[in-house]
Short mmCIF file of all heavy atoms in Angstrom, two decimals:
data_model
loop_
_atom_site.label_atom_id
_atom_site.label_comp_id
_atom_site.label_asym_id
_atom_site.label_seq_id
_atom_site.Cartn_x
_atom_site.Cartn_y
_atom_site.Cartn_z
N GLN A 295 45.15 29.65 -69.85
CA GLN A 295 44.51 29.05 -71.01
C GLN A 295 44.24 27.57 -70.78
O GLN A 295 43.19 27.05 -71.18
CB GLN A 295 45.38 29.24 -72.26
CG GLN A 295 44.76 28.72 -73.54
CD GLN A 295 43.43 29.39 -73.86
OE1 GLN A 295 43.23 30.57 -73.57
NE2 GLN A 295 42.52 28.64 -74.48
N GLU A 309 27.12 18.69 -71.37
CA GLU A 309 26.02 18.85 -72.33
C GLU A 309 25.76 17.57 -73.11
O GLU A 309 24.70 17.43 -73.72
CB GLU A 309 26.32 20.02 -73.26
CG GLU A 309 26.28 21.37 -72.53
CD GLU A 309 26.32 22.55 -73.46
OE1 GLU A 309 26.45 22.33 -74.69
OE2 GLU A 309 26.20 23.68 -72.98
N ALA A 313 20.18 17.32 -71.39
CA ALA A 313 19.60 18.21 -72.40
C ALA A 313 19.86 19.67 -72.07
O ALA A 313 19.51 20.56 -72.86
CB ALA A 313 18.09 17.97 -72.50
N LEU A 333 31.30 57.96 -52.04
CA LEU A 333 30.57 58.68 -51.00
C LEU A 333 31.34 58.71 -49.68
O LEU A 333 31.42 59.75 -49.02
CB LEU A 333 29.19 58.05 -50.80
CG LEU A 333 28.26 58.76 -49.82
CD1 LEU A 333 28.03 60.20 -50.26
CD2 LEU A 333 26.94 58.02 -49.70
N LEU A 337 32.40 62.15 -47.80
CA LEU A 337 31.86 62.52 -46.49
C LEU A 337 32.98 62.78 -45.48
O LEU A 337 32.92 63.74 -44.70
CB LEU A 337 30.93 61.41 -45.97
CG LEU A 337 29.57 61.30 -46.67
CD1 LEU A 337 28.82 60.08 -46.15
CD2 LEU A 337 28.75 62.56 -46.45
N ILE A 340 34.56 66.13 -46.20
CA ILE A 340 33.72 67.26 -45.80
C ILE A 340 33.73 67.45 -44.28
O ILE A 340 33.77 68.57 -43.77
CB ILE A 340 32.28 67.04 -46.30
CG1 ILE A 340 32.24 67.15 -47.83
CG2 ILE A 340 31.31 68.05 -45.67
CD1 ILE A 340 30.92 66.72 -48.44
N SER A 349 38.14 70.28 -32.42
CA SER A 349 38.98 69.54 -31.47
C SER A 349 40.29 70.25 -31.15
O SER A 349 41.02 69.84 -30.24
CB SER A 349 39.28 68.15 -32.03
OG SER A 349 40.05 68.26 -33.23
N ASP A 353 44.49 74.26 -36.81
CA ASP A 353 43.81 75.53 -37.06
C ASP A 353 44.50 76.37 -38.12
O ASP A 353 44.11 77.50 -38.37
CB ASP A 353 43.68 76.33 -35.76
CG ASP A 353 45.03 76.58 -35.09
OD1 ASP A 353 46.06 76.28 -35.73
OD2 ASP A 353 45.03 77.08 -33.96
N PRO A 362 40.89 68.24 -46.90
CA PRO A 362 39.82 67.49 -47.61
C PRO A 362 40.30 66.76 -48.85
O PRO A 362 39.98 65.59 -49.05
CB PRO A 362 38.80 68.59 -47.96
CG PRO A 362 39.02 69.63 -46.92
CD PRO A 362 40.50 69.63 -46.66
N LEU A 365 42.66 63.87 -47.85
CA LEU A 365 41.91 62.79 -47.21
C LEU A 365 41.09 62.01 -48.24
O LEU A 365 41.03 60.77 -48.20
CB LEU A 365 41.00 63.35 -46.13
CG LEU A 365 40.28 62.35 -45.23
CD1 LEU A 365 41.28 61.46 -44.51
CD2 LEU A 365 39.39 63.06 -44.22
N PHE A 366 40.47 62.76 -49.17
CA PHE A 366 39.68 62.09 -50.21
C PHE A 366 40.56 61.16 -51.03
O PHE A 366 40.19 60.00 -51.30
CB PHE A 366 39.03 63.13 -51.12
CG PHE A 366 38.16 62.53 -52.20
CD1 PHE A 366 36.82 62.26 -51.98
CD2 PHE A 366 38.70 62.23 -53.45
CE1 PHE A 366 36.04 61.70 -52.97
CE2 PHE A 366 37.92 61.67 -54.44
CZ PHE A 366 36.58 61.40 -54.21
N LEU A 367 41.74 61.63 -51.44
CA LEU A 367 42.64 60.79 -52.23
C LEU A 367 43.12 59.58 -51.45
O LEU A 367 43.19 58.46 -51.99
CB LEU A 367 43.83 61.63 -52.71
CG LEU A 367 43.53 62.72 -53.73
CD1 LEU A 367 44.76 63.56 -54.00
CD2 LEU A 367 43.01 62.11 -55.03
N LEU A 382 33.73 45.94 -46.70
CA LEU A 382 33.01 46.99 -45.97
C LEU A 382 31.55 47.08 -46.38
O LEU A 382 30.78 47.82 -45.76
CB LEU A 382 33.70 48.34 -46.21
CG LEU A 382 35.16 48.44 -45.73
CD1 LEU A 382 35.74 49.81 -46.10
CD2 LEU A 382 35.24 48.22 -44.23
N VAL A 383 31.19 46.34 -47.41
CA VAL A 383 29.81 46.35 -47.90
C VAL A 383 28.98 45.35 -47.09
O VAL A 383 29.43 44.23 -46.85
CB VAL A 383 29.76 45.97 -49.40
CG1 VAL A 383 28.31 45.92 -49.90
CG2 VAL A 383 30.57 46.98 -50.21
N THR A 398 21.57 38.90 -64.91
CA THR A 398 21.83 39.64 -66.15
C THR A 398 22.63 38.78 -67.13
O THR A 398 22.30 38.72 -68.32
CB THR A 398 22.60 40.94 -65.83
OG1 THR A 398 21.81 41.76 -64.97
CG2 THR A 398 22.92 41.70 -67.11
N LEU A 415 23.54 28.35 -65.51
CA LEU A 415 24.71 29.21 -65.36
C LEU A 415 25.34 28.98 -63.99
O LEU A 415 24.67 29.05 -62.97
CB LEU A 415 24.32 30.69 -65.48
CG LEU A 415 25.43 31.70 -65.16
CD1 LEU A 415 26.56 31.60 -66.19
CD2 LEU A 415 24.88 33.12 -65.09
N ARG A 420 34.20 36.53 -57.18
CA ARG A 420 35.35 36.16 -56.35
C ARG A 420 35.51 37.09 -55.14
O ARG A 420 35.77 36.62 -54.03
CB ARG A 420 36.62 36.15 -57.21
CG ARG A 420 36.54 35.14 -58.36
CD ARG A 420 37.76 35.11 -59.22
NE ARG A 420 38.90 34.48 -58.55
CZ ARG A 420 40.02 34.15 -59.19
NH1 ARG A 420 40.15 34.41 -60.48
NH2 ARG A 420 41.01 33.58 -58.54
N ILE A 433 14.22 23.47 -65.75
CA ILE A 433 15.05 22.66 -64.86
C ILE A 433 14.68 22.90 -63.41
O ILE A 433 14.51 21.97 -62.62
CB ILE A 433 16.54 22.97 -65.08
CG1 ILE A 433 16.99 22.45 -66.45
CG2 ILE A 433 17.40 22.34 -63.99
CD1 ILE A 433 18.41 22.82 -66.79
N TRP A 442 20.82 21.78 -55.14
CA TRP A 442 21.69 22.88 -55.54
C TRP A 442 22.60 23.28 -54.38
O TRP A 442 23.79 23.54 -54.57
CB TRP A 442 20.89 24.10 -55.98
CG TRP A 442 20.02 23.94 -57.17
CD1 TRP A 442 18.69 24.21 -57.26
CD2 TRP A 442 20.41 23.49 -58.49
NE1 TRP A 442 18.22 23.96 -58.53
CE2 TRP A 442 19.24 23.52 -59.31
CE3 TRP A 442 21.61 23.07 -59.05
CZ2 TRP A 442 19.26 23.16 -60.64
CZ3 TRP A 442 21.64 22.70 -60.39
CH2 TRP A 442 20.48 22.74 -61.17
N SER A 455 40.14 24.59 -50.40
CA SER A 455 41.25 23.68 -50.14
C SER A 455 42.12 23.41 -51.38
O SER A 455 43.18 22.80 -51.27
CB SER A 455 40.72 22.34 -49.61
OG SER A 455 39.86 21.73 -50.57
N LEU A 458 40.92 26.89 -57.97
CA LEU A 458 39.58 27.23 -58.46
C LEU A 458 39.18 26.41 -59.69
O LEU A 458 38.04 25.95 -59.77
CB LEU A 458 39.51 28.72 -58.77
CG LEU A 458 38.19 29.23 -59.36
CD1 LEU A 458 37.03 29.00 -58.39
CD2 LEU A 458 38.29 30.71 -59.72
#
Side-chain angles (χ1 to χ4, degrees):
Q295 184 59 34
E309 292 190 356
L333 184 58
L337 287 175
I340 291 170
S349 64
D353 57 9
L365 188 59
F366 182 88
L367 292 174
L382 299 177
V383 177
T398 299
L415 173 65
R420 300 180 73 169
I433 291 175
W442 297 126
S455 61
L458 177 62

